[in-house]
Amino acid sequence: LGSCRVGDLIGEVPTGLKYGGEHIPSGARADVRILDPELFTEPQALEPFFERIEVIAAMQHPCIATIFAYGI
């Protein structure tokens, strides 16, 4: 999936499934989330989700998750 190697399933999250993984270029541990397509049947339903991702991706702090990549 993009620049991440997907590992074992960790569990279900409200928006889909969460897997362990690795960000290949940096070697950093990563969580890979796969969205449940049934939750996002309307394209506009994705807008708030991606807005939150963009805000988090802009933050740089050791206590905030680093977002390496996202998309459809």
Side-chain angles (χ1 to χ4, degrees):
L1 260 170
S3 60
C4 288
R5 180 177 295 118
V6 180
D8 294 332
L9 177 66
I10 294 172
E12 291 187 41
V13 294
T15 55
L17 299 174
K18 178 179 174 180
Y19 294 85
E22 175 188 5
H23 181 244
I24 296 167
S26 69
R29 185 186 69 78
D31 289 342
V32 178
R33 296 188 183 207
I34 308 295
L35 297 177
D36 181 351
E38 291 182 19
L39 295 176
F40 301 100
T41 56
E42 301 289 328
Q44 63 269 24
L46 287 170
E47 290 175 25
F49 183 79
F50 284 118
E51 287 171 3
R52 285 190 296 263
I53 290 174
E54 290 170 2
V55 168
I56 295 169
M59 297 179 182
Q60 301 271 324
H61 190 277
C63 294
I64 298 175
T66 299
I67 297 179
F68 295 110
Y70 64 94
I72 296 177

